Amino acid sequence: MHRPVQRVGRAPRLTRILVSAAAVPVMLVAAGCSSDSDSGDDAQKSASVTPDAKVSESASADAIQPAAYATLPDPCSVLSKKTLGELVPKGSKSGKKGESDDAAQRGNCNWSSLDNNGVKGSQFRWLNVALLRFDSDTRGAGDEQAHAYFEKQVTGAQSVKGAKGAKSEPVAGTGDEATAVRYDLKKKEGSFKQQTIVTRVENVVVTLDYNGAGLAGEKTPDAADLLKDAEKAAKEAVAAVAAANGDGGASASSSEPSSSSKASSGSKAPSKSASKSASPSKSATKKD
């Protein structure tokens, strides 16, 4: 027979356990509400900051003036047949287009000519046209970026290793700003006369390299004649850029510099384009 006293003694303990268990969900609910409240504060803080940041970035992008030119011409078609016949008479059809991952932004084409005069030697010519276009973006307006690159190209052409008698002079009537750099470069094949014309028209930079040499006893070409031909070709290339864009933007032969035009001084480090253009030893073997 069970004793009533034992049943009565267990009741208070069971009651305490049940009361304690019931208190747990209440604590969890309270904790959950506290967590939701904190998350809501974080989200509110984020929401209060993000729109302002986005508006600021959007306003900054809108403040940059769109670039004038949106594309580039085929680099191998920027010069007329007549001009190529004058500059590279034995290689006017030998244009070699360089590889480009974006033809609307960069491109180049080069031609080589070797006029063999038998025992008298040979006349060698090498011509290269490189185009580079800049878009307006967070780095700045396209024409301003192009101006900075223009100065870098000029400085690079002025700093070629082994160059002798280097001279620089502005070129009038070619784009927004243009500079001619010329020098002599002696190689085992002969004495090369290098002419580099760097031109900027709006947000596009055109770098034209032209060199000539008399090989195997042939007379060294006149540097002044080479420069005259190079300047004529540079003007044609600039006009081709304008034509490819429906002539929208600055005049191809403008003599008025744009607001971003400055005197060309730049850094001392030669650019890749200038270094490649000053390699007549490779040109003499009919290689780029």
Side-chain angles (χ1 to χ4, degrees), residues 203-227:
N203 57 310
V204 176
V205 176
V206 178
T207 304
L208 185 143
D209 291 295
Y210 183 49
N211 64 52
L215 307 178
E218 179 61 286
K219 183 180 179 181
T220 300
D222 183 70
D225 290 340
L226 294 178
L227 180 60

Side-chain angles (χ1 to χ4, degrees), residues 76 79 84-97 109-116 123-129 192 209-213 215 279-288:
C76 288
L79 301 180
L84 289 173
E86 294 172 354
L87 272 67
V88 283
K90 295 296 182 178
S92 60
K93 297 180 180 179
S94 66
K96 296 180 181 179
K97 185 187 295 186
C109 189
N110 66 77
W111 299 259
S112 61
S113 173
L114 185 65
D115 188 0
N116 193 337
Q123 281 292 334
F124 175 79
R125 300 288 185 275
W126 183 77
L127 172 67
N128 184 77
V129 178
F192 289 80
D209 291 295
Y210 183 49
N211 64 52
L215 307 178
S279 301
S281 59
K282 293 184 179 179
S283 303
T285 55
K286 293 188 178 182
K287 294 183 180 179
D288 298 348

Side-chain angles (χ1 to χ4, degrees), residues 25-108:
V26 176
M27 293 175 65
L28 292 176
V29 170
C33 292
S34 176
S35 177
D36 291 342
S37 177
D38 292 341
S39 298
D41 290 342
D42 292 341
Q44 187 174 2
K45 292 177 182 179
S46 176
S48 66
V49 174
T50 303
D52 291 341
K54 289 183 178 179
V55 169
S56 178
E57 291 177 2
S58 177
S60 177
D62 292 340
I64 301 174
Q65 184 177 0
Y69 294 143
T71 190
L72 292 176
D74 181 335
C76 288
S77 66
V78 297
L79 301 180
S80 66
K81 292 182 179 180
K82 179 181 178 181
T83 297
L84 289 173
E86 294 172 354
L87 272 67
V88 283
K90 295 296 182 178
S92 60
K93 297 180 180 179
S94 66
K96 296 180 181 179
K97 185 187 295 186
E99 295 183 4
S100 174
D101 56 353
D102 187 353
Q105 187 152 356
R106 63 180 62 84
N108 79 282

